[in-house]
Amino acid sequence: MNHAAIEPLNPVFISLGPISIAWYAVMILTGVFVGYLFAAAEGRRMGIKPEFFQDLVMWGLPISIVGARIYYVAFNWDFYASNPGYIIQIQRGGLAIHGALIVVFVYGLVYCRKKGFTPWLIMDIGFVSFFISQAIGRWGNFFNQEAHGGIVPGATIDAQREFLTGMSLPRFVVDGMFINGAYHHPTFLYEGLWNLVGFALAVLILRRLSNLLVGEIAAFYGIWYSIGRFFIEGMRTDSLMLTEHIRMAQFISIAIILAIVLAVAIRRAKKLNVETYSSYYGGKKIKKTTKNYAI
């Protein structure tokens, strides 16, 4: 095969005169929309109007993007200090999911309390939708040919390609992983598939458990995503570094897992807020606490 004939991916979805819309933006917005659809559907089961999640996303999306960008820029400050014009150019990539999660978590707490909702119930619904949103959004990294892993095993380029085709990957994915003269691990895809498995577990198993406490689906998201991110991050070539030898995402992942396990254990042991997730089905509790967004 003539590997040199493989053309780099076009990161632009469409150009309208001087305005270009990147695939990166299309994938992120598509992921957000699909995640919203799931959240709205689950919310209806709780007696929550879709308008609540519309308002939540309308403000939460730009806030999360700002948080993700600030986080990324902060840990790449040496570059951005010398190239300040690139700071606002998010179409080039450079959004750190942990930055988004931090600001969304804080924003969600404030917003839910203001509207009279139990924050942990909304977190349960919202974080499950994050699974599918992130799985779709990661394709933006594919079109930018970023967030990929190191070179795959293979003594020759042909052997490297055979490694990827042996995974039954579509040809366009294999071609897209040919970067700078070698084939790389599609870590964007690994993380996306990991998230889809997490989504399936949460939807098909966890939310059907009668003794699952409100907030514990959100806890599952934090643990599941962090486990996958820890191992996948070790494969990537563009990691944000805490120190010379410690990857920031891996450090944060471990911290999140430990914090969640400790919090859940203490809550269960002391029997704090023992309302179950299933007890909100039907919307009776929602109607007692809020009016504006209750069905």
Side-chain angles (χ1 to χ4, degrees):
M1 177 179 179
N2 182 10
H3 305 277
I6 298 176
E7 296 183 1
L9 292 170
N10 183 0
V12 177
F13 171 68
I14 189 173
S15 294
L16 302 172
I19 300 176
S20 295
I21 300 176
W23 275 108
Y24 188 80
V26 172
M27 291 296 101
I28 289 179
L29 292 176
T30 300
V32 170
F33 180 68
V34 175
Y36 157 74
L37 292 178
F38 169 81
E42 184 69 356
R44 287 191 187 95
R45 302 177 70 188
M46 307 296 189
I48 305 173
K49 292 180 180 179
E51 287 79 4
F52 172 81
F53 293 100
Q54 290 175 11
D55 293 346
L56 187 64
V57 171
M58 182 178 69
W59 293 103
L61 177 59
I63 289 173
S64 66
I65 292 175
V66 171
R69 187 59 172 175
I70 290 175
Y71 187 101
Y72 184 85
V73 170
F75 286 97
N76 279 286
W77 185 243
D78 288 343
F79 171 79
Y80 288 105
S82 302
N83 302 274
Y86 286 109
I87 292 178
I88 63 173
Q89 296 186 32
I90 63 173
Q91 71 273 18
R92 295 175 175 268
L95 297 177
I97 185 62
H98 283 127
L101 293 177
I102 291 171
V103 297
V104 164
F105 179 79
V106 175
Y107 166 70
L109 289 177
V110 174
Y111 186 84
C112 290
R113 293 190 184 282
K114 181 180 179 181
K115 299 299 181 180
F117 283 89
T118 301
W120 306 117
L121 173 65
I122 304 304
M123 293 289 181
D124 281 338
I125 298 172
F127 279 120
V128 172
S129 70
F130 277 9
F131 271 135
I132 195 166
S133 294
Q134 288 175 243
I136 296 173
R138 276 298 180 191
W139 283 91
N141 297 130
F142 170 70
F143 285 102
N144 278 357
Q145 291 190 310
E146 63 184 5
H148 56 73
I151 298 174
V152 300
T156 65
I157 297 179
D158 287 330
Q160 292 172 8
R161 186 176 181 88
E162 289 178 6
F163 176 87
L164 292 179
T165 56
M167 298 169 63
S168 299
L169 298 178
R171 178 169 180 171
F172 77 95
V173 172
V174 176
D175 289 347
M177 288 297 97
F178 185 67
I179 304 169
N180 297 326
Y183 288 92
H184 294 254
H185 280 284
T187 47
F188 82 93
L189 183 59
Y190 300 162
E191 184 174 320
L193 293 174
W194 179 259
N195 285 339
L196 288 179
V197 173
F199 176 78
L201 291 174
V203 172
L204 300 178
I205 298 177
L206 291 184
R207 70 174 182 166
R208 297 185 179 185
L209 299 179
S210 60
N211 62 344
L212 183 79
L213 301 184
V214 64
E216 291 186 341
I217 293 181
F220 168 74
Y221 165 85
I223 292 174
W224 182 267
Y225 175 72
S226 296
I227 291 173
R229 183 60 185 269
F230 179 87
F231 289 102
I232 294 170
E233 189 68 22
M235 304 173 66
R236 287 176 53 169
T237 60
D238 61 344
S239 298
L240 299 177
M241 305 301 292
L242 179 62
T243 68
E244 183 179 355
H245 302 291
I246 300 177
R247 299 171 188 251
M248 189 64 190
Q250 290 184 315
F251 174 80
I252 293 295
S253 294
I254 292 176
I256 289 175
I257 292 171
L258 293 177
I260 290 176
V261 170
L262 180 62
V264 171
I266 292 175
R267 179 191 183 190
R268 285 274 181 172
K270 295 188 175 183
K271 298 182 179 179
L272 301 174
N273 186 12
V274 292
E275 293 180 317
T276 62
Y277 184 77
S278 60
S279 68
Y280 280 88
Y281 286 150
K284 293 182 179 180
K285 291 186 178 182
I286 295 296
K287 291 177 182 178
K288 290 180 180 179
T289 59
T290 183
K291 296 181 179 179
N292 293 337
Y293 292 101
I295 294 175

